[in-house]
Structure formats: C-alpha cells, structure tokens
Amino acid sequence: MPRILLTGAGGGIGARLRKLLPPIYPDLVLSDLKAPADLTPSEKFVAAELSDIAQVKKAVAGIDGVIHLGGFSVEGPWDTILNANIIGAYNLFEAAREAGVKRIVFASSNHAVGFYPRSQTIDTQVQVRPDSRYGVSKAFGEALAAFYAFKFGIGCLCIRIGNLGERPLDERRLSIWLENSDLVSLIRIGLEREGLLYEVVYGMSDNKRAWWDNSRARELGYLPKARSEDFAAEILAAQKNIKPDPVGDFFQGGTFCADEFANDFDMLKKLKP
Ligand SMILES: NC(=O)c1ccc[n+]([C@@H]2O[C@H](COP(=O)([O-])OP(=O)(O)OC[C@H]3O[C@@H](n4cnc5c(N)ncnc54)[C@H](O)[C@@H]3O)[C@@H](O)[C@H]2O)c1
C-alpha cells in the first residue's frame, strides 16, 4: 500500500478527504500548519509550514504520493500568495523529488483560466488566463508540475477544481460544481493510473451547463457520478435574489474577475475566441 501525504488537511476539502480516503489509502499522512481540532488517534499528522522547506522535507519523508491541497485558497495579498502558493508549491515539489515521491496531485483551480467568457467552451489546451494573483499561483503550480514531470519523471495530475461541496451553491456553480466522491475518483487517477506523466483536467462533476470540455479526464478513466442539473430548478429560482454583476457574470471566474477590474469591458466582450 502506498503512503500518501495530504497537505492542507485542515481545510475544507481536507476535512472531506479525511473521511473518504482512509478506506482507499490506509497509510495516509496528514499535514497542515496545525493539526485539525478533531484529529483522531488513528490519524497521522505532521505539521509543516509550506514556505519552510526543512519542515516540508520532514512531512514528505517516506511518502510515495502527495495530494497537494495546502496553500492560500482565495485571492489575497501578494506576500501571502507568494509564500503559501509559489514558494510553498516549489518547496513541496522539490522536497518530493528529493524523497523519491512517484506521484503528485496538484489542486489547481478554475481561476487559472478565469478570464475566458462563459460563452466559450474551453479544454485543457487553452492558454492560462488567471483572474487573480491566486489564479497566477495556480498557473505557476501547473507549470511546476510539468517541470517535475518531464525533467524528473514524477507523475503529476493538475485538477482545475471548480467548486467542491455537497451541492452547487448558485448559477455559476451549476457549471463548475465538483462533488466529493467525484474528486476522489480524479485523485485516484492521479495517484494510480498507469503511465500517467503530466495531465491537466477540470475538477467538475457531470454538469450539463459546463463550459469546460473535460474529455481528457474521461480518456483517463474519469466517470463522474454527480449531476449539478438535479439542483438546477432550486438554484435558478434563488439566483433571482442575487444582484447581477456585469463583469463577474460574463467571465468564468465570476467575482474573481470583477474584483479590481479596470479594463475596457466592451472591448473584451468583442474579442474573438
Ligand atoms: N474549495 C474549492 O472549491 C476549491 C476550488 C479550486 C481550488 N481549490 C484548491 O484546493 C485546495 C484546498 O481548498 P480548500 O477549500 O480546502 O482550502 P482551505 O483554505 O479550506 O484549506 C487550505 C489549507 O491550507 C493550509 N495552508 C495555508 N497556507 C499554508 C502554509 N503556508 N503552509 C501550510 N499549510 C497552509 C491552511 O491552513 C488550510 O487548512 C487549495 O489549494 C485551493 O486553492 C479549492
């Protein structure tokens, strides 16, 4: 059985994976800045600040595969993004290389490509268009994964997660929702699929209103089970109470695109795909 490290284990996704992963990977090691308050005696935990490579090396020692969720998970001040997501991701990949880790699943984000319009269906071959410093850090993480895959042979799967949760939360999330067990299926592809070297997929469930072409994920064996459309009527009714946001509603990244936006919106709307 491989020994798997889950970084960011104290976060929102980490809390869900701590329940779902142990039956699949009994030898699971958790890491975060500090132990989750509800850590059980059967869980192994190693504290590590990602920007401190000595701490990251301790967490990665003896590990076969990493699920890298740790980092700052929304837009934030540059120093925070730099330390947690840029230096932190570098330290994680570099420590993993030194430790002989074979696979890394990187939690990328839809915000790496947030500035595509919702009217355009994009696959994973498109250029990145980050909508935030956070999105830039995720594009950096994808580049880092490609470097460690092609240069050092670590199999890497970058999952551009849409929005994870028990249910989609609004109209935008009907297009990008990812249900917990579907995330686990993607993670298993990243850690177990034979011959995987470097892949980028979208982390979404079976969403009828998707604006992503996730055929690469399906070629790799992904068969999402959850369907956002089952929640559509209820979500669309509730959406009527949410104030329209011209920029955020136009682009895939939503409010991340609208925040600090200072460009010519009419010009951007006319750009050809
Ligand atoms: N939740 C989503 O729907 C979603 C969507 C797209 C991408 N993602 C990505 O998935 C990952 C997990 O998301 P989440 O929603 O659980 O986020 P979260 O913020 O709940 O959890 C992130 C965890 O990382 C830890 N962390 C932050 N800075 C750190 C540092 N310097 N050193 C060590 N640990 C640090 C935090 O303590 C936290 O527990 C993140 O990388 C996020 O960017 C999440």
Side-chain angles (χ1 to χ4, degrees):
M1 263 297 161
R3 173 168 275 207
I4 304 298
L5 175 70
L6 177 68
T7 69
I13 298 185
R16 294 170 168 105
L17 292 182
R18 280 170 58 207
K19 295 196 178 77
L20 296 171
L21 291 181
I24 307 164
Y25 304 115
D27 201 359
L28 184 70
V29 180
L30 311 178
S31 183
D32 205 303
L33 291 168
K34 59 180 176 52
D38 61 347
L39 193 77
T40 66
S42 66
E43 290 180 303
K44 295 185 207 80
F45 179 82
V46 184
E49 158 63 62
L50 287 163
S51 63
D52 180 336
I53 195 158
Q55 294 184 29
V56 179
K57 279 184 186 176
K58 280 189 194 143
V60 170
I63 293 293
D64 301 300
V66 179
I67 305 164
H68 184 44
L69 303 183
F72 201 70
S73 60
V74 287
E75 179 62 318
W78 172 241
D79 277 355
T80 307
I81 300 284
L82 176 66
N83 283 308
N85 295 11
I86 304 267
I87 296 171
Y90 177 77
N91 287 346
L92 186 280
F93 276 81
E94 182 55 15
R97 179 191 68 77
E98 275 188 30
V101 167
K102 294 168 200 71
R103 292 287 174 101
I104 299 177
V105 174
F106 173 63
S108 185
S109 167
N110 66 91
H111 295 292
V113 289
F115 264 121
Y116 283 93
R118 296 183 188 192
S119 56
Q120 186 178 342
T121 301
I122 57 171
D123 61 16
T124 48
Q125 300 296 317
V126 296
Q127 292 175 352
V128 291
R129 278 192 199 171
D131 56 24
S132 48
R133 293 160 195 83
Y134 165 72
V136 170
S137 76
K138 293 300 181 181
F140 172 81
E142 292 185 4
L144 203 56
F147 172 55
Y148 278 86
F150 286 94
K151 180 80 85 173
F152 303 113
I154 301 179
C156 292
L157 178 71
C158 302
I159 308 176
R160 285 182 185 160
I161 301 172
N163 186 245
L164 188 100
E166 279 62 39
R167 44 183 294 133
L169 298 175
D170 57 20
E171 187 174 7
R172 176 172 172 268
R173 265 84 151 232
L174 285 176
S175 300
I176 68 168
W177 177 55
L178 175 62
E179 184 274 337
N180 303 331
S181 302
D182 285 338
L183 172 61
V184 172
S185 302
L186 285 170
I187 287 172
R188 292 195 71 167
I189 290 170
L191 294 176
E192 298 174 34
R193 175 143 177 132
E194 220 172 291
L196 182 138
L197 181 61
Y198 175 73
E199 300 287 346
V200 179
V201 295
Y202 289 104
M204 67 167 171
S205 288
D206 183 7
N207 299 338
K208 189 176 162 197
R209 294 159 197 262
W211 47 61
W212 301 326
D213 170 356
N214 215 11
S215 48
R216 187 65 193 134
R218 287 182 184 264
E219 283 162 20
L220 292 168
Y222 179 50
L223 266 180
K225 302 236 164 33
R227 302 179 332 157
S228 66
E229 204 56 19
D230 295 345
F231 303 88
E234 193 188 324
I235 294 286
L236 293 174
Q239 187 72 25
K240 294 193 181 94
N241 304 321
I242 299 175
K243 205 168 148 247
D245 168 357
V247 174
D249 293 347
F250 182 80
F251 291 111
Q252 298 186 3
T255 56
F256 280 58
C257 296
D259 290 348
E260 300 179 62
F261 185 81
N263 202 354
D264 180 344
F265 183 40
D266 289 330
M267 178 274 293
L268 287 185
K269 278 196 288 192
K270 284 185 212 133
L271 285 181
K272 293 260 178 311

